[in-house]
């Protein structure tokens, strides 16, 4: 007669787990926003520091990399450092999210 009640208990337990995971994800995302990645290009000629919100915190250019005759090279170095910084932030986020969701049996990249 009350055979379905067991499923209600399972559902309530699952909802608690989901809420806990959501709280943990929010906490982790807040922590990741404060972390930074540092990337160099051109053997250190250009350095980018970016936070977890993908905001550039600093950009350092070695004066030796500034050649008025070859502006394109400097532009390429800045672009490479910026793009690698974004990739590192994405990788950092994916790695941390993977740790959090690994016990759920969800496919990678779901979150």
């Amino acid at each position: 007669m009350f055979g379905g009640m067991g499923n209600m208990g399972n559902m309530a337990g699952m909802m608690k787990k989901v809420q806990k995971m959501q709280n943990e994800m929010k906490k982790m995302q807040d922590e990741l926003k404060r972390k930074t990645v540092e990337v160099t290009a051109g053997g250190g000629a250009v350095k980018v520091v970016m936070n977890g919100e993908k905001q550039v915190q600093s950009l350092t250019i070695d004066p030796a990399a500034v050649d008025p005759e070859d502006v394109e090279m400097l532009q390429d170095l800045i672009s490479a450092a910026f793009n690698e910084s974004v990739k590192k932030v994405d990788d950092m986020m994916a790695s941390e999210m993977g740790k959090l969701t690994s016990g759920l049996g969800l496919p990678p990249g779901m979150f």
Side-chain angles (χ1 to χ4, degrees):
M1 180 171 173
F2 294 106
M5 292 302 282
N7 288 338
M8 295 287 282
N10 288 342
M11 182 65 96
M14 168 130 6
M15 291 303 291
K16 282 185 179 183
K17 287 180 183 179
V18 168
Q19 287 177 332
K20 180 181 178 194
M21 186 186 74
Q22 287 175 331
N23 291 337
E24 289 175 3
M25 285 178 68
K26 173 74 171 119
K27 181 180 173 186
M28 182 195 62
Q29 287 171 335
D30 290 342
E31 289 173 8
L32 287 172
K33 287 178 183 179
R34 291 188 295 271
K35 287 187 176 185
T36 60
V37 297
E38 182 177 308
V39 172
T40 61
V46 173
K47 179 174 83 170
V48 171
V49 176
M50 182 178 286
N51 69 14
E53 292 183 292
K54 298 181 183 174
Q55 296 172 334
V56 175
Q57 300 297 295
S58 69
L59 169 65
T60 307
I61 301 172
D62 184 338
V66 180
D67 179 357
E69 301 296 319
D70 195 3
V71 174
E72 289 90 17
M73 182 184 70
L74 181 56
Q75 292 169 337
D76 288 345
L77 291 175
I78 293 169
S79 294
F82 180 79
N83 290 335
E84 183 62 22
S85 296
V86 170
K87 182 182 179 322
K88 275 185 124 176
V89 168
D90 288 343
D91 290 348
M92 177 178 67
M93 292 284 213
S95 174
E96 292 301 314
M97 290 297 261
K99 291 177 190 175
L100 187 61
T101 60
S102 64
L104 298 177
L106 298 173
M110 178 100 177
F111 283 98

